[in-house]
Amino acid sequence: MHEQIKYGNNLALVLEDFKGISLHDYLAQTDPDLEHLLRIAIDISRGLGSIHRQNMIHKDINPSNIL
């Protein structure tokens, strides 16, 4: 995390742009099997669980916003 800034009535995290690919684009470019899709889902769930335990939320979880 680079910094935390006030954004309207909320706080936002400013993160490094590491040139990742969105989940949306990844799925459009590949044909993962069920096991790989389940691994992706588990990893996303763990990441969200980790940030939620720190009382943070993400207001727009969708494949275009997951890198």
Side-chain angles (χ1 to χ4, degrees), residues 1 4 13 46-57:
M1 177 174 79
Q4 184 175 320
L13 300 177
R46 285 183 176 155
L48 288 171
S50 178
I51 67 167
H52 287 176
R53 282 189 295 280
Q54 297 175 50
N55 294 320
M56 291 185 224
I57 60 170

Side-chain angles (χ1 to χ4, degrees), residues 36-46:
H36 190 68
L37 289 172
L38 288 173
R39 175 52 48 200
I40 291 169
I42 290 167
D43 289 345
I44 291 168
S45 297
R46 285 183 176 155

Side-chain angles (χ1 to χ4, degrees), residues 1-3 13-22 64 66-67:
M1 177 174 79
H2 285 288
E3 65 181 310
L13 300 177
V14 179
L15 305 172
E16 177 182 354
D17 181 3
F18 57 89
K19 306 296 182 204
I21 182 172
S22 72
S64 294
I66 297 173
L67 303 179

